[in-house]
Amino acid sequence: MTQAWFILTRADGRDICAPSPAQLADALAEVYRVGAVAPDGSPAAVVLRFGYDDGLMYQVEVASGGEVTFEEWSDRDCEIALAPPRHMSAVPQDTAQQLWQWLAQRQVAKIRSQPWQGG
């Protein structure tokens, strides 16, 4: 049987398996803070990944400044991209939260239907 999984990678690089809604909101708030940077000094970014043990993986990355990237992969090893990465700029925090909520609810079609700049 195929098992679904969710992993949140925080700006500091820590992974949280099956994050709670509060953990998701906290991670986004951290990135949207003015001047948010990663431990290495680069712009802060957080990633929510959803996938299945035997296949598909989707991820929505949110970086400081509201830069959002959506990617679709054949597996969690990112071996084959199923579509070109899609981007949005200056995304408000509540919109990023909605994208993550859809990903957590496995509503990938709603994410695909957004006004992405590429793909």
Side-chain angles (χ1 to χ4, degrees), residues 6-19 23 47 49:
F6 289 92
I7 298 174
L8 168 65
T9 302
R10 296 187 59 101
D12 62 8
R14 288 182 298 138
D15 285 339
I16 300 172
C17 294
Q23 288 171 316
V47 181
R49 291 178 183 85

Side-chain angles (χ1 to χ4, degrees), residues 64-80:
S64 53
E67 298 298 318
V68 176
T69 303
F70 172 57
E71 297 180 30
E72 301 181 63
W73 295 94
S74 62
D75 59 25
R76 73 184 327 162
D77 295 325
C78 302
E79 292 181 3
I80 300 170

Side-chain angles (χ1 to χ4, degrees), residues 33-110:
R33 272 199 321 261
V34 174
V37 295
D40 66 2
S42 64
V46 290
V47 181
L48 182 62
R49 291 178 183 85
F50 157 66
Y52 298 96
D53 287 340
D54 64 350
L56 303 174
M57 181 186 78
Y58 306 95
Q59 71 177 38
V60 176
E61 177 182 52
V62 181
S64 53
E67 298 298 318
V68 176
T69 303
F70 172 57
E71 297 180 30
E72 301 181 63
W73 295 94
S74 62
D75 59 25
R76 73 184 327 162
D77 295 325
C78 302
E79 292 181 3
I80 300 170
L82 300 178
R86 299 172 187 116
H87 305 278
M88 279 192 244
S89 298
V91 174
Q93 185 173 345
D94 62 334
T95 301
Q97 182 96 28
Q98 179 64 69
L99 292 169
W100 275 12
Q101 182 177 355
W102 285 333
L103 190 61
Q105 295 169 346
R106 304 176 190 186
Q107 296 181 1
V108 176
K110 285 186 179 180

